[in-house]
PDB file of all heavy atoms in Angstrom:
ATOM      1  N   GLY A  11     -87.041  -7.893  47.563  1.00 92.00           N
ATOM      2  CA  GLY A  11     -87.646  -7.528  46.267  1.00 92.00           C
ATOM      3  C   GLY A  11     -86.648  -7.018  45.296  1.00 92.00           C
ATOM      4  O   GLY A  11     -87.048  -6.315  44.350  1.00 92.00           O
ATOM      5  N   ARG A  12     -85.391  -7.229  45.416  1.00 94.00           N
ATOM      6  CA  ARG A  12     -84.410  -6.720  44.511  1.00 94.00           C
ATOM      7  C   ARG A  12     -83.736  -7.854  43.754  1.00 94.00           C
ATOM      8  O   ARG A  12     -83.480  -8.887  44.253  1.00 94.00           O
ATOM      9  CB  ARG A  12     -83.292  -5.994  45.265  1.00 94.00           C
ATOM     10  CG  ARG A  12     -83.893  -4.799  46.076  1.00 94.00           C
ATOM     11  CD  ARG A  12     -82.808  -3.911  46.603  1.00 94.00           C
ATOM     12  NE  ARG A  12     -83.369  -2.761  47.298  1.00 94.00           N
ATOM     13  CZ  ARG A  12     -82.680  -1.739  47.707  1.00 94.00           C
ATOM     14  NH1 ARG A  12     -81.342  -1.702  47.510  1.00 94.00           N
ATOM     15  NH2 ARG A  12     -83.258  -0.715  48.344  1.00 94.00           N
ATOM     16  N   VAL A  13     -83.479  -7.584  42.499  1.00 95.00           N
ATOM     17  CA  VAL A  13     -82.788  -8.488  41.623  1.00 95.00           C
ATOM     18  C   VAL A  13     -81.442  -7.904  41.171  1.00 95.00           C
ATOM     19  O   VAL A  13     -81.501  -6.705  40.707  1.00 95.00           O
ATOM     20  CB  VAL A  13     -83.624  -8.878  40.390  1.00 95.00           C
ATOM     21  CG1 VAL A  13     -82.812  -9.824  39.452  1.00 95.00           C
ATOM     22  CG2 VAL A  13     -84.861  -9.539  40.766  1.00 95.00           C
ATOM     23  N   VAL A  14     -80.345  -8.535  41.420  1.00 96.00           N
ATOM     24  CA  VAL A  14     -79.060  -7.985  41.115  1.00 96.00           C
ATOM     25  C   VAL A  14     -78.446  -8.849  39.938  1.00 96.00           C
ATOM     26  O   VAL A  14     -78.267 -10.055  40.063  1.00 96.00           O
ATOM     27  CB  VAL A  14     -78.076  -8.063  42.272  1.00 96.00           C
ATOM     28  CG1 VAL A  14     -76.680  -7.548  41.954  1.00 96.00           C
ATOM     29  CG2 VAL A  14     -78.702  -7.276  43.443  1.00 96.00           C
ATOM     30  N   GLY A  15     -78.222  -8.232  38.812  1.00 95.00           N
ATOM     31  CA  GLY A  15     -77.614  -8.832  37.636  1.00 95.00           C
ATOM     32  C   GLY A  15     -78.681  -9.576  36.903  1.00 95.00           C
ATOM     33  O   GLY A  15     -79.901  -9.706  37.290  1.00 95.00           O
ATOM     34  N   SER A  16     -78.317 -10.012  35.634  1.00 96.00           N
ATOM     35  CA  SER A  16     -79.256 -10.701  34.766  1.00 96.00           C
ATOM     36  C   SER A  16     -78.496 -11.629  33.794  1.00 96.00           C
ATOM     37  O   SER A  16     -77.224 -11.410  33.627  1.00 96.00           O
ATOM     38  CB  SER A  16     -80.143  -9.738  34.010  1.00 96.00           C
ATOM     39  OG  SER A  16     -79.296  -8.986  33.090  1.00 96.00           O
ATOM     40  N   SER A  17     -79.160 -12.569  33.249  1.00 96.00           N
ATOM     41  CA  SER A  17     -78.567 -13.369  32.149  1.00 96.00           C
ATOM     42  C   SER A  17     -79.176 -13.003  30.847  1.00 96.00           C
ATOM     43  O   SER A  17     -80.209 -12.240  30.732  1.00 96.00           O
ATOM     44  CB  SER A  17     -78.782 -14.847  32.484  1.00 96.00           C
ATOM     45  OG  SER A  17     -80.213 -15.160  32.339  1.00 96.00           O
ATOM     46  N   ASP A  18     -78.677 -13.642  29.781  1.00 97.00           N
ATOM     47  CA  ASP A  18     -79.269 -13.457  28.469  1.00 97.00           C
ATOM     48  C   ASP A  18     -80.619 -14.186  28.425  1.00 97.00           C
ATOM     49  O   ASP A  18     -81.039 -14.841  29.361  1.00 97.00           O
ATOM     50  CB  ASP A  18     -78.381 -13.887  27.368  1.00 97.00           C
ATOM     51  CG  ASP A  18     -77.992 -15.367  27.430  1.00 97.00           C
ATOM     52  OD1 ASP A  18     -78.716 -16.130  28.074  1.00 97.00           O
ATOM     53  OD2 ASP A  18     -76.940 -15.773  26.858  1.00 97.00           O
ATOM     54  N   SER A  19     -81.371 -14.031  27.284  1.00 95.00           N
ATOM     55  CA  SER A  19     -82.657 -14.618  27.153  1.00 95.00           C
ATOM     56  C   SER A  19     -82.709 -16.077  27.248  1.00 95.00           C
ATOM     57  O   SER A  19     -83.779 -16.671  27.692  1.00 95.00           O
ATOM     58  CB  SER A  19     -83.260 -14.203  25.837  1.00 95.00           C
ATOM     59  OG  SER A  19     -82.563 -14.718  24.766  1.00 95.00           O
ATOM     60  N   LYS A  20     -81.613 -16.811  27.115  1.00 95.00           N
ATOM     61  CA  LYS A  20     -81.606 -18.275  27.195  1.00 95.00           C
ATOM     62  C   LYS A  20     -81.052 -18.817  28.526  1.00 95.00           C
ATOM     63  O   LYS A  20     -80.911 -19.992  28.730  1.00 95.00           O
ATOM     64  CB  LYS A  20     -80.738 -18.822  26.026  1.00 95.00           C
ATOM     65  CG  LYS A  20     -81.364 -18.618  24.657  1.00 95.00           C
ATOM     66  CD  LYS A  20     -80.537 -19.212  23.595  1.00 95.00           C
ATOM     67  CE  LYS A  20     -81.224 -19.116  22.257  1.00 95.00           C
ATOM     68  NZ  LYS A  20     -81.542 -17.740  21.871  1.00 95.00           N
ATOM     69  N   GLY A  21     -80.617 -17.838  29.369  1.00 95.00           N
ATOM     70  CA  GLY A  21     -79.977 -18.254  30.636  1.00 95.00           C
ATOM     71  C   GLY A  21     -78.708 -18.940  30.439  1.00 95.00           C
ATOM     72  O   GLY A  21     -78.261 -19.851  31.206  1.00 95.00           O
ATOM     73  N   ALA A  22     -77.995 -18.504  29.442  1.00 96.00           N
ATOM     74  CA  ALA A  22     -76.701 -19.181  29.090  1.00 96.00           C
ATOM     75  C   ALA A  22     -75.457 -18.408  29.544  1.00 96.00           C
ATOM     76  O   ALA A  22     -74.478 -19.068  29.997  1.00 96.00           O
ATOM     77  CB  ALA A  22     -76.571 -19.293  27.534  1.00 96.00           C
ATOM     78  N   PHE A  23     -75.558 -17.126  29.528  1.00 96.00           N
ATOM     79  CA  PHE A  23     -74.409 -16.253  29.942  1.00 96.00           C
ATOM     80  C   PHE A  23     -74.891 -15.048  30.665  1.00 96.00           C
ATOM     81  O   PHE A  23     -75.968 -14.569  30.452  1.00 96.00           O
ATOM     82  CB  PHE A  23     -73.555 -15.975  28.675  1.00 96.00           C
ATOM     83  CG  PHE A  23     -72.936 -17.053  28.034  1.00 96.00           C
ATOM     84  CD1 PHE A  23     -73.528 -17.592  26.896  1.00 96.00           C
ATOM     85  CD2 PHE A  23     -71.764 -17.642  28.502  1.00 96.00           C
ATOM     86  CE1 PHE A  23     -72.991 -18.694  26.187  1.00 96.00           C
ATOM     87  CE2 PHE A  23     -71.248 -18.796  27.869  1.00 96.00           C
ATOM     88  CZ  PHE A  23     -71.825 -19.252  26.754  1.00 96.00           C
ATOM     89  N   PRO A  24     -74.031 -14.445  31.516  1.00 96.00           N
ATOM     90  CA  PRO A  24     -74.405 -13.207  32.149  1.00 96.00           C
ATOM     91  C   PRO A  24     -74.664 -12.093  31.146  1.00 96.00           C
ATOM     92  O   PRO A  24     -73.934 -12.057  30.117  1.00 96.00           O
ATOM     93  CB  PRO A  24     -73.213 -12.887  33.062  1.00 96.00           C
ATOM     94  CG  PRO A  24     -72.564 -14.234  33.263  1.00 96.00           C
ATOM     95  CD  PRO A  24     -72.707 -14.982  32.010  1.00 96.00           C
ATOM     96  N   LYS A  25     -75.569 -11.214  31.442  1.00 96.00           N
ATOM     97  CA  LYS A  25     -75.860 -10.080  30.562  1.00 96.00           C
ATOM     98  C   LYS A  25     -75.518  -8.753  31.235  1.00 96.00           C
ATOM     99  O   LYS A  25     -74.616  -8.001  30.782  1.00 96.00           O
ATOM    100  CB  LYS A  25     -77.371 -10.136  30.112  1.00 96.00           C
ATOM    101  CG  LYS A  25     -77.750  -8.995  29.275  1.00 96.00           C
ATOM    102  CD  LYS A  25     -79.203  -9.070  28.845  1.00 96.00           C
ATOM    103  CE  LYS A  25     -79.600  -7.892  28.010  1.00 96.00           C
ATOM    104  NZ  LYS A  25     -81.067  -7.899  27.696  1.00 96.00           N
ATOM    105  N   ASP A  26     -76.188  -8.412  32.361  1.00 96.00           N
ATOM    106  CA  ASP A  26     -75.971  -7.157  33.009  1.00 96.00           C
ATOM    107  C   ASP A  26     -75.421  -7.402  34.447  1.00 96.00           C
ATOM    108  O   ASP A  26     -75.968  -8.283  35.199  1.00 96.00           O
ATOM    109  CB  ASP A  26     -77.325  -6.364  33.021  1.00 96.00           C
ATOM    110  CG  ASP A  26     -77.801  -6.039  31.696  1.00 96.00           C
ATOM    111  OD1 ASP A  26     -76.988  -5.598  30.878  1.00 96.00           O
ATOM    112  OD2 ASP A  26     -78.997  -6.192  31.467  1.00 96.00           O
ATOM    113  N   ASN A  27     -74.486  -6.585  34.811  1.00 96.00           N
ATOM    114  CA  ASN A  27     -74.006  -6.562  36.190  1.00 96.00           C
ATOM    115  C   ASN A  27     -73.745  -7.987  36.747  1.00 96.00           C
ATOM    116  O   ASN A  27     -74.246  -8.362  37.805  1.00 96.00           O
ATOM    117  CB  ASN A  27     -75.014  -5.812  37.066  1.00 96.00           C
ATOM    118  CG  ASN A  27     -74.531  -5.496  38.428  1.00 96.00           C
ATOM    119  OD1 ASN A  27     -73.334  -5.463  38.680  1.00 96.00           O
ATOM    120  ND2 ASN A  27     -75.410  -5.173  39.357  1.00 96.00           N
ATOM    121  N   PRO A  28     -72.892  -8.720  36.115  1.00 95.00           N
ATOM    122  CA  PRO A  28     -72.578 -10.097  36.627  1.00 95.00           C
ATOM    123  C   PRO A  28     -71.873 -10.067  37.949  1.00 95.00           C
ATOM    124  O   PRO A  28     -71.096  -9.220  38.270  1.00 95.00           O
ATOM    125  CB  PRO A  28     -71.674 -10.602  35.479  1.00 95.00           C
ATOM    126  CG  PRO A  28     -71.005  -9.454  34.921  1.00 95.00           C
ATOM    127  CD  PRO A  28     -72.060  -8.414  34.893  1.00 95.00           C
ATOM    128  N   LYS A  29     -72.213 -11.053  38.737  1.00 96.00           N
ATOM    129  CA  LYS A  29     -71.523 -11.227  40.037  1.00 96.00           C
ATOM    130  C   LYS A  29     -70.862 -12.601  40.121  1.00 96.00           C
ATOM    131  O   LYS A  29     -71.165 -13.538  39.309  1.00 96.00           O
ATOM    132  CB  LYS A  29     -72.541 -11.140  41.146  1.00 96.00           C
ATOM    133  CG  LYS A  29     -73.326  -9.794  41.255  1.00 96.00           C
ATOM    134  CD  LYS A  29     -72.348  -8.643  41.479  1.00 96.00           C
ATOM    135  CE  LYS A  29     -73.141  -7.291  41.527  1.00 96.00           C
ATOM    136  NZ  LYS A  29     -72.233  -6.166  41.770  1.00 96.00           N
ATOM    137  N   THR A  30     -69.944 -12.805  41.063  1.00 95.00           N
ATOM    138  CA  THR A  30     -69.206 -14.068  41.151  1.00 95.00           C
ATOM    139  C   THR A  30     -69.510 -14.668  42.506  1.00 95.00           C
ATOM    140  O   THR A  30     -70.024 -13.975  43.420  1.00 95.00           O
ATOM    141  CB  THR A  30     -67.695 -13.780  41.109  1.00 95.00           C
ATOM    142  OG1 THR A  30     -67.277 -13.044  42.327  1.00 95.00           O
ATOM    143  CG2 THR A  30     -67.287 -12.989  39.868  1.00 95.00           C
ATOM    144  N   PRO A  31     -69.241 -15.965  42.700  1.00 95.00           N
ATOM    145  CA  PRO A  31     -69.477 -16.561  43.942  1.00 95.00           C
ATOM    146  C   PRO A  31     -68.645 -15.847  45.147  1.00 95.00           C
ATOM    147  O   PRO A  31     -69.121 -15.779  46.256  1.00 95.00           O
ATOM    148  CB  PRO A  31     -68.949 -17.980  43.791  1.00 95.00           C
ATOM    149  CG  PRO A  31     -69.130 -18.264  42.335  1.00 95.00           C
ATOM    150  CD  PRO A  31     -68.887 -16.956  41.649  1.00 95.00           C
ATOM    151  N   GLN A  32     -67.554 -15.298  44.744  1.00 96.00           N
ATOM    152  CA  GLN A  32     -66.746 -14.580  45.739  1.00 96.00           C
ATOM    153  C   GLN A  32     -67.522 -13.353  46.265  1.00 96.00           C
ATOM    154  O   GLN A  32     -67.249 -12.932  47.377  1.00 96.00           O
ATOM    155  CB  GLN A  32     -65.328 -14.208  45.124  1.00 96.00           C
ATOM    156  CG  GLN A  32     -64.382 -15.344  45.096  1.00 96.00           C
ATOM    157  CD  GLN A  32     -64.644 -16.321  43.905  1.00 96.00           C
ATOM    158  OE1 GLN A  32     -65.431 -15.957  42.993  1.00 96.00           O
ATOM    159  NE2 GLN A  32     -64.140 -17.501  43.889  1.00 96.00           N
ATOM    160  N   ASP A  33     -68.241 -12.705  45.415  1.00 97.00           N
ATOM    161  CA  ASP A  33     -69.069 -11.553  45.810  1.00 97.00           C
ATOM    162  C   ASP A  33     -70.112 -11.969  46.851  1.00 97.00           C
ATOM    163  O   ASP A  33     -70.319 -11.236  47.804  1.00 97.00           O
ATOM    164  CB  ASP A  33     -69.767 -10.950  44.541  1.00 97.00           C
ATOM    165  CG  ASP A  33     -68.756 -10.338  43.572  1.00 97.00           C
ATOM    166  OD1 ASP A  33     -67.688  -9.852  43.999  1.00 97.00           O
ATOM    167  OD2 ASP A  33     -69.046 -10.335  42.427  1.00 97.00           O
ATOM    168  N   VAL A  34     -70.689 -13.105  46.636  1.00 97.00           N
ATOM    169  CA  VAL A  34     -71.641 -13.644  47.618  1.00 97.00           C
ATOM    170  C   VAL A  34     -70.906 -13.974  48.940  1.00 97.00           C
ATOM    171  O   VAL A  34     -71.384 -13.553  50.023  1.00 97.00           O
ATOM    172  CB  VAL A  34     -72.373 -14.860  47.081  1.00 97.00           C
ATOM    173  CG1 VAL A  34     -73.358 -15.422  48.185  1.00 97.00           C
ATOM    174  CG2 VAL A  34     -73.160 -14.539  45.824  1.00 97.00           C
ATOM    175  N   LEU A  35     -69.763 -14.534  48.836  1.00 97.00           N
ATOM    176  CA  LEU A  35     -68.921 -14.886  50.051  1.00 97.00           C
ATOM    177  C   LEU A  35     -68.554 -13.579  50.762  1.00 97.00           C
ATOM    178  O   LEU A  35     -68.551 -13.486  52.005  1.00 97.00           O
ATOM    179  CB  LEU A  35     -67.761 -15.641  49.665  1.00 97.00           C
ATOM    180  CG  LEU A  35     -67.944 -16.997  49.225  1.00 97.00           C
ATOM    181  CD1 LEU A  35     -66.601 -17.650  48.779  1.00 97.00           C
ATOM    182  CD2 LEU A  35     -68.581 -17.916  50.265  1.00 97.00           C
ATOM    183  N   ALA A  36     -68.171 -12.558  50.016  1.00 97.00           N
ATOM    184  CA  ALA A  36     -67.802 -11.292  50.620  1.00 97.00           C
ATOM    185  C   ALA A  36     -69.001 -10.645  51.334  1.00 97.00           C
ATOM    186  O   ALA A  36     -68.824 -10.091  52.412  1.00 97.00           O
ATOM    187  CB  ALA A  36     -67.320 -10.287  49.561  1.00 97.00           C
ATOM    188  N   THR A  37     -70.231 -10.898  50.818  1.00 97.00           N
ATOM    189  CA  THR A  37     -71.384 -10.338  51.464  1.00 97.00           C
ATOM    190  C   THR A  37     -71.651 -11.059  52.833  1.00 97.00           C
ATOM    191  O   THR A  37     -71.974 -10.484  53.819  1.00 97.00           O
ATOM    192  CB  THR A  37     -72.667 -10.505  50.518  1.00 97.00           C
ATOM    193  OG1 THR A  37     -72.373  -9.941  49.292  1.00 97.00           O
ATOM    194  CG2 THR A  37     -73.887 -10.024  51.210  1.00 97.00           C
ATOM    195  N   ILE A  38     -71.448 -12.411  52.708  1.00 96.00           N
ATOM    196  CA  ILE A  38     -71.626 -13.202  54.001  1.00 96.00           C
ATOM    197  C   ILE A  38     -70.566 -12.832  55.044  1.00 96.00           C
ATOM    198  O   ILE A  38     -70.869 -12.559  56.215  1.00 96.00           O
ATOM    199  CB  ILE A  38     -71.484 -14.703  53.647  1.00 96.00           C
ATOM    200  CG1 ILE A  38     -72.635 -15.064  52.722  1.00 96.00           C
ATOM    201  CG2 ILE A  38     -71.511 -15.505  54.971  1.00 96.00           C
ATOM    202  CD1 ILE A  38     -72.469 -16.528  52.197  1.00 96.00           C
ATOM    203  N   TYR A  39     -69.343 -12.650  54.622  1.00 95.00           N
ATOM    204  CA  TYR A  39     -68.267 -12.267  55.608  1.00 95.00           C
ATOM    205  C   TYR A  39     -68.469 -10.931  56.103  1.00 95.00           C
ATOM    206  O   TYR A  39     -68.248 -10.655  57.321  1.00 95.00           O
ATOM    207  CB  TYR A  39     -66.916 -12.337  54.820  1.00 95.00           C
ATOM    208  CG  TYR A  39     -66.308 -13.625  54.602  1.00 95.00           C
ATOM    209  CD1 TYR A  39     -65.706 -14.027  53.465  1.00 95.00           C
ATOM    210  CD2 TYR A  39     -66.306 -14.594  55.702  1.00 95.00           C
ATOM    211  CE1 TYR A  39     -65.152 -15.340  53.304  1.00 95.00           C
ATOM    212  CE2 TYR A  39     -65.771 -15.853  55.587  1.00 95.00           C
ATOM    213  CZ  TYR A  39     -65.161 -16.180  54.330  1.00 95.00           C
ATOM    214  OH  TYR A  39     -64.652 -17.428  54.246  1.00 95.00           O
ATOM    215  N   GLN A  40     -68.983  -9.982  55.342  1.00 96.00           N
ATOM    216  CA  GLN A  40     -69.256  -8.627  55.821  1.00 96.00           C
ATOM    217  C   GLN A  40     -70.299  -8.659  56.979  1.00 96.00           C
ATOM    218  O   GLN A  40     -70.171  -8.046  57.935  1.00 96.00           O
ATOM    219  CB  GLN A  40     -69.787  -7.725  54.678  1.00 96.00           C
ATOM    220  CG  GLN A  40     -70.005  -6.315  55.052  1.00 96.00           C
ATOM    221  CD  GLN A  40     -70.564  -5.436  53.974  1.00 96.00           C
ATOM    222  OE1 GLN A  40     -71.611  -5.716  53.418  1.00 96.00           O
ATOM    223  NE2 GLN A  40     -69.808  -4.446  53.561  1.00 96.00           N
ATOM    224  N   HIS A  41     -71.335  -9.471  56.766  1.00 95.00           N
ATOM    225  CA  HIS A  41     -72.413  -9.629  57.716  1.00 95.00           C
ATOM    226  C   HIS A  41     -71.842 -10.218  59.035  1.00 95.00           C
ATOM    227  O   HIS A  41     -72.302  -9.803  60.109  1.00 95.00           O
ATOM    228  CB  HIS A  41     -73.518 -10.518  57.216  1.00 95.00           C
ATOM    229  CG  HIS A  41     -74.604 -10.737  58.191  1.00 95.00           C
ATOM    230  ND1 HIS A  41     -75.502  -9.773  58.553  1.00 95.00           N
ATOM    231  CD2 HIS A  41     -74.926 -11.818  58.914  1.00 95.00           C
ATOM    232  CE1 HIS A  41     -76.327 -10.225  59.450  1.00 95.00           C
ATOM    233  NE2 HIS A  41     -75.979 -11.549  59.652  1.00 95.00           N
ATOM    234  N   LEU A  42     -70.914 -11.154  58.899  1.00 92.00           N
ATOM    235  CA  LEU A  42     -70.292 -11.801  60.110  1.00 92.00           C
ATOM    236  C   LEU A  42     -69.229 -10.993  60.740  1.00 92.00           C
ATOM    237  O   LEU A  42     -68.692 -11.312  61.785  1.00 92.00           O
ATOM    238  CB  LEU A  42     -69.739 -13.177  59.715  1.00 92.00           C
ATOM    239  CG  LEU A  42     -70.705 -14.257  59.254  1.00 92.00           C
ATOM    240  CD1 LEU A  42     -70.019 -15.433  58.657  1.00 92.00           C
ATOM    241  CD2 LEU A  42     -71.601 -14.645  60.365  1.00 92.00           C
ATOM    242  N   GLY A  43     -68.885  -9.899  60.066  1.00 92.00           N
ATOM    243  CA  GLY A  43     -67.792  -8.996  60.702  1.00 92.00           C
ATOM    244  C   GLY A  43     -66.406  -9.539  60.395  1.00 92.00           C
ATOM    245  O   GLY A  43     -65.499  -9.245  61.217  1.00 92.00           O
ATOM    246  N   VAL A  44     -66.236 -10.343  59.344  1.00 92.00           N
ATOM    247  CA  VAL A  44     -64.957 -10.859  59.058  1.00 92.00           C
ATOM    248  C   VAL A  44     -64.222  -9.991  57.988  1.00 92.00           C
ATOM    249  O   VAL A  44     -64.794  -9.598  56.997  1.00 92.00           O
ATOM    250  CB  VAL A  44     -65.070 -12.324  58.458  1.00 92.00           C
ATOM    251  CG1 VAL A  44     -63.735 -12.838  58.014  1.00 92.00           C
ATOM    252  CG2 VAL A  44     -65.713 -13.219  59.481  1.00 92.00           C
ATOM    253  N   ASP A  45     -62.967  -9.626  58.330  1.00 93.00           N
ATOM    254  CA  ASP A  45     -62.170  -8.820  57.423  1.00 93.00           C
ATOM    255  C   ASP A  45     -61.624  -9.716  56.281  1.00 93.00           C
ATOM    256  O   ASP A  45     -60.823 -10.588  56.546  1.00 93.00           O
ATOM    257  CB  ASP A  45     -60.964  -8.191  58.183  1.00 93.00           C
ATOM    258  CG  ASP A  45     -60.111  -7.259  57.329  1.00 93.00           C
ATOM    259  OD1 ASP A  45     -60.430  -7.144  56.104  1.00 93.00           O
ATOM    260  OD2 ASP A  45     -59.214  -6.699  57.858  1.00 93.00           O
ATOM    261  N   THR A  46     -62.099  -9.535  55.049  1.00 94.00           N
ATOM    262  CA  THR A  46     -61.770 -10.466  53.955  1.00 94.00           C
ATOM    263  C   THR A  46     -60.283 -10.150  53.474  1.00 94.00           C
ATOM    264  O   THR A  46     -59.717 -10.955  52.753  1.00 94.00           O
ATOM    265  CB  THR A  46     -62.651 -10.221  52.775  1.00 94.00           C
ATOM    266  OG1 THR A  46     -62.727  -8.895  52.365  1.00 94.00           O
ATOM    267  CG2 THR A  46     -64.123 -10.665  53.174  1.00 94.00           C
ATOM    268  N   GLU A  47     -59.648  -9.114  53.882  1.00 92.00           N
ATOM    269  CA  GLU A  47     -58.305  -8.793  53.509  1.00 92.00           C
ATOM    270  C   GLU A  47     -57.316  -9.288  54.506  1.00 92.00           C
ATOM    271  O   GLU A  47     -56.041  -9.167  54.262  1.00 92.00           O
ATOM    272  CB  GLU A  47     -58.166  -7.309  53.233  1.00 92.00           C
ATOM    273  CG  GLU A  47     -59.028  -6.799  52.080  1.00 92.00           C
ATOM    274  CD  GLU A  47     -58.773  -5.316  51.720  1.00 92.00           C
ATOM    275  OE1 GLU A  47     -57.971  -4.757  52.509  1.00 92.00           O
ATOM    276  OE2 GLU A  47     -59.333  -4.820  50.824  1.00 92.00           O
ATOM    277  N   LYS A  48     -57.760  -9.837  55.569  1.00 90.00           N
ATOM    278  CA  LYS A  48     -56.798 -10.263  56.598  1.00 90.00           C
ATOM    279  C   LYS A  48     -56.221 -11.661  56.232  1.00 90.00           C
ATOM    280  O   LYS A  48     -56.900 -12.448  55.634  1.00 90.00           O
ATOM    281  CB  LYS A  48     -57.577 -10.416  57.948  1.00 90.00           C
ATOM    282  CG  LYS A  48     -56.667 -10.675  59.139  1.00 90.00           C
ATOM    283  CD  LYS A  48     -57.382 -10.573  60.463  1.00 90.00           C
ATOM    284  CE  LYS A  48     -56.459 -10.789  61.654  1.00 90.00           C
ATOM    285  NZ  LYS A  48     -57.187 -10.590  62.875  1.00 90.00           N
ATOM    286  N   HIS A  49     -54.945 -11.833  56.656  1.00 91.00           N
ATOM    287  CA  HIS A  49     -54.266 -13.087  56.370  1.00 91.00           C
ATOM    288  C   HIS A  49     -54.188 -13.931  57.628  1.00 91.00           C
ATOM    289  O   HIS A  49     -54.045 -13.426  58.744  1.00 91.00           O
ATOM    290  CB  HIS A  49     -52.796 -12.829  55.907  1.00 91.00           C
ATOM    291  CG  HIS A  49     -52.732 -12.318  54.453  1.00 91.00           C
ATOM    292  ND1 HIS A  49     -53.070 -11.002  54.176  1.00 91.00           N
ATOM    293  CD2 HIS A  49     -52.373 -12.928  53.347  1.00 91.00           C
ATOM    294  CE1 HIS A  49     -52.919 -10.786  52.864  1.00 91.00           C
ATOM    295  NE2 HIS A  49     -52.498 -11.939  52.337  1.00 91.00           N
ATOM    296  N   TYR A  50     -54.399 -15.218  57.441  1.00 84.00           N
ATOM    297  CA  TYR A  50     -54.264 -16.225  58.595  1.00 84.00           C
ATOM    298  C   TYR A  50     -53.273 -17.234  58.228  1.00 84.00           C
ATOM    299  O   TYR A  50     -53.002 -17.521  56.994  1.00 84.00           O
ATOM    300  CB  TYR A  50     -55.542 -16.882  58.879  1.00 84.00           C
ATOM    301  CG  TYR A  50     -56.649 -15.962  59.494  1.00 84.00           C
ATOM    302  CD1 TYR A  50     -57.576 -15.314  58.624  1.00 84.00           C
ATOM    303  CD2 TYR A  50     -56.714 -15.795  60.826  1.00 84.00           C
ATOM    304  CE1 TYR A  50     -58.497 -14.478  59.173  1.00 84.00           C
ATOM    305  CE2 TYR A  50     -57.655 -14.928  61.374  1.00 84.00           C
ATOM    306  CZ  TYR A  50     -58.504 -14.201  60.529  1.00 84.00           C
ATOM    307  OH  TYR A  50     -59.510 -13.480  61.094  1.00 84.00           O
ATOM    308  N   LEU A  51     -52.561 -17.785  59.154  1.00 83.00           N
ATOM    309  CA  LEU A  51     -51.602 -18.803  58.829  1.00 83.00           C
ATOM    310  C   LEU A  51     -52.192 -20.196  58.772  1.00 83.00           C
ATOM    311  O   LEU A  51     -53.047 -20.549  59.663  1.00 83.00           O
ATOM    312  CB  LEU A  51     -50.505 -18.771  59.939  1.00 83.00           C
ATOM    313  CG  LEU A  51     -49.767 -17.466  60.205  1.00 83.00           C
ATOM    314  CD1 LEU A  51     -48.740 -17.696  61.348  1.00 83.00           C
ATOM    315  CD2 LEU A  51     -49.018 -17.067  58.945  1.00 83.00           C
ATOM    316  N   ASP A  52     -51.862 -20.986  57.778  1.00 79.00           N
ATOM    317  CA  ASP A  52     -52.341 -22.362  57.713  1.00 79.00           C
ATOM    318  C   ASP A  52     -51.464 -23.203  58.576  1.00 79.00           C
ATOM    319  O   ASP A  52     -50.609 -22.704  59.228  1.00 79.00           O
ATOM    320  CB  ASP A  52     -52.444 -22.767  56.248  1.00 79.00           C
ATOM    321  CG  ASP A  52     -51.026 -22.869  55.581  1.00 79.00           C
ATOM    322  OD1 ASP A  52     -50.030 -22.816  56.281  1.00 79.00           O
ATOM    323  OD2 ASP A  52     -50.966 -23.178  54.371  1.00 79.00           O
ATOM    324  N   HIS A  53     -51.690 -24.461  58.476  1.00 77.00           N
ATOM    325  CA  HIS A  53     -50.983 -25.408  59.374  1.00 77.00           C
ATOM    326  C   HIS A  53     -49.485 -25.491  59.118  1.00 77.00           C
ATOM    327  O   HIS A  53     -48.680 -25.912  59.969  1.00 77.00           O
ATOM    328  CB  HIS A  53     -51.553 -26.822  59.266  1.00 77.00           C
ATOM    329  CG  HIS A  53     -53.020 -26.913  59.850  1.00 77.00           C
ATOM    330  ND1 HIS A  53     -53.324 -26.693  61.124  1.00 77.00           N
ATOM    331  CD2 HIS A  53     -54.150 -27.082  59.210  1.00 77.00           C
ATOM    332  CE1 HIS A  53     -54.623 -26.820  61.283  1.00 77.00           C
ATOM    333  NE2 HIS A  53     -55.180 -27.066  60.170  1.00 77.00           N
ATOM    334  N   SER A  54     -49.081 -25.086  57.922  1.00 81.00           N
ATOM    335  CA  SER A  54     -47.654 -25.015  57.566  1.00 81.00           C
ATOM    336  C   SER A  54     -47.013 -23.719  57.878  1.00 81.00           C
ATOM    337  O   SER A  54     -45.828 -23.505  57.594  1.00 81.00           O
ATOM    338  CB  SER A  54     -47.427 -25.481  56.163  1.00 81.00           C
ATOM    339  OG  SER A  54     -47.986 -24.524  55.294  1.00 81.00           O
ATOM    340  N   GLY A  55     -47.812 -22.714  58.317  1.00 83.00           N
ATOM    341  CA  GLY A  55     -47.263 -21.361  58.633  1.00 83.00           C
ATOM    342  C   GLY A  55     -47.362 -20.396  57.496  1.00 83.00           C
ATOM    343  O   GLY A  55     -46.904 -19.326  57.630  1.00 83.00           O
TER     344      GLY A  55
END
C-alpha cells in the first residue's frame, strides 16, 4: 500500500522523489543478500 515517487500531471517527467532502475536492482540484490559494492572478475580478468 505504499507509493514511492510521483510524476507530473501528464506522466511526462518525475516530480517527487524520483527513483532509477538501479535503485530497483539494489532492492532486489539486497533481498538476495548480494553485496552491490563487490567486484567480480569478468572472462578477461
Side-chain angles (χ1 to χ4, degrees):
R12 300 189 178 190
V13 177
V14 180
S16 66
S17 68
D18 60 21
S19 61
K20 295 182 174 57
F23 297 99
K25 180 182 178 181
D26 298 314
N27 194 16
K29 301 297 181 179
T30 68
Q32 286 75 17
D33 294 327
V34 178
L35 292 176
T37 304
I38 296 172
Y39 281 136
Q40 182 183 63
H41 178 71
L42 292 172
V44 175
D45 183 357
T46 58
E47 297 185 357
K48 189 171 183 178
H49 288 73
Y50 291 92
L51 300 179
D52 67 8
H53 294 294
S54 65

